[in-house]
Amino acid sequence: MVNVDAGTDTETGISIGAGAGADTGAGTGTGTRDGDAVSRFVERFAARLTEAGMQRMAARVFAQLLASDGGAMTSAELGEALRISPAAVSGAVSYLTQVNMVSREREPGSRRDRYVLHNELWYETFTRRDQVLTLWEKTLREGAATLGTDSPAGARVAETAAFFEFMQGEMLGLMDRWRVHKAAIGLG
C-alpha cells in the first residue's frame, strides 16, 4: 500500500497527500490512493499550468499523466480519470505531442495507443526553450540593427536580445547543475 502525505495546499487548504481510497495509478496496481485528493491535485496543477499559458484541456491531461504511476495512460483511461470526451482527450494529446511533452506509443498486442511522458521531460522542455531563445535573440539583434541602436526602440530591442543571450548562458549552466543535483539526491 502506498501512503504518501505531501501535506496541505496553503492556498486552498486541501490535503494533497494520498491515503486510503481509490487506485489512481492508471492501471499500474502499485497501491491505493484517495482518488478525490489526487483529482484535486491534478485540477490544481492544471490550473497553474493554464495560468502560465497552457491550453486548459492539455494542462489537465498533462497533469493527469504526471500524477499516474506509470507516466502513461490510454485515451480511455484519461477520459475516465478526467471525465472528458474522447474528442477532448484527442485535442489535448495533439497539442501535447506537438510541443513534445508526451509521445504516442502503441500498446503491445493491441490497437490502442498510450500517451507517455518523456523520461527527462523538464530537461527536454528547457532545452527546446533554449533553442527558441536562440531564434528570438537572432531576430531581435536583426531588429535592433534595423531600428538603429541609437533610437529608443532599437535600444529596447537590443536590451531584450542581450537578456535572451544572458538567459541562454544561464540555462546551460542551470541544466548542468540540475544533473549534478539530481545524481546527488539519488534521482539519477
Side-chain angles (χ1 to χ4, degrees):
M1 176 179 192
V2 175
N3 188 8
V4 178
D5 183 10
T8 301
D9 182 280
T10 55
E11 192 172 305
T12 63
I14 295 172
S15 170
I16 56 175
D23 180 12
T24 59
T28 62
T30 58
T32 58
R33 294 192 178 99
D34 180 344
D36 290 337
V38 172
S39 291
R40 287 190 301 272
F41 160 73
V42 165
E43 295 303 328
R44 194 169 55 254
F45 187 56
R48 299 297 185 260
L49 292 171
T50 302
E51 290 166 3
M54 186 183 278
Q55 296 175 358
R56 181 177 179 273
M57 200 55 65
R60 292 182 72 212
V61 167
F62 175 76
Q64 184 63 51
L65 285 169
L66 193 63
S68 71
D69 284 335
M73 298 174 76
T74 65
S75 180
E77 290 169 338
L78 286 164
E80 182 180 337
L82 296 169
R83 297 183 182 118
I84 58 176
S85 71
V89 171
S90 178
V93 165
S94 290
Y95 171 81
L96 292 169
T97 54
Q98 269 184 331
V99 297
N100 295 314
M101 293 181 79
V102 301
S103 58
R104 183 184 315 237
E105 294 180 359
R106 182 71 60 170
E107 275 193 345
S110 171
R111 293 182 357 177
R112 295 187 329 170
D113 287 328
R114 292 168 37 92
Y115 304 104
V116 182
L117 293 174
H118 294 272
N119 283 341
E120 292 197 353
L121 171 72
W122 300 114
Y123 176 78
E124 291 175 19
T125 299
F126 281 100
T127 299
R128 278 189 305 281
R129 181 65 47 102
D130 185 53
Q131 294 166 354
V132 169
L133 292 176
T134 299
L135 292 173
W136 288 1
E137 179 194 345
K138 181 178 186 249
T139 304
L140 287 163
R141 291 212 182 278
E142 292 168 359
T146 299
L147 295 166
T149 55
D150 56 339
S151 72
R156 188 171 44 253
V157 171
E159 181 181 339
T160 304
F163 173 75
F164 285 126
E165 180 182 31
F166 173 79
M167 286 292 295
Q168 273 188 285
E170 292 298 307
M171 191 69 69
L172 294 172
L174 181 66
M175 290 296 108
D176 289 341
R177 289 189 304 278
W178 164 244
R179 280 189 221 96
V180 169
H181 178 72
K182 182 177 162 183
I185 61 173
L187 295 176

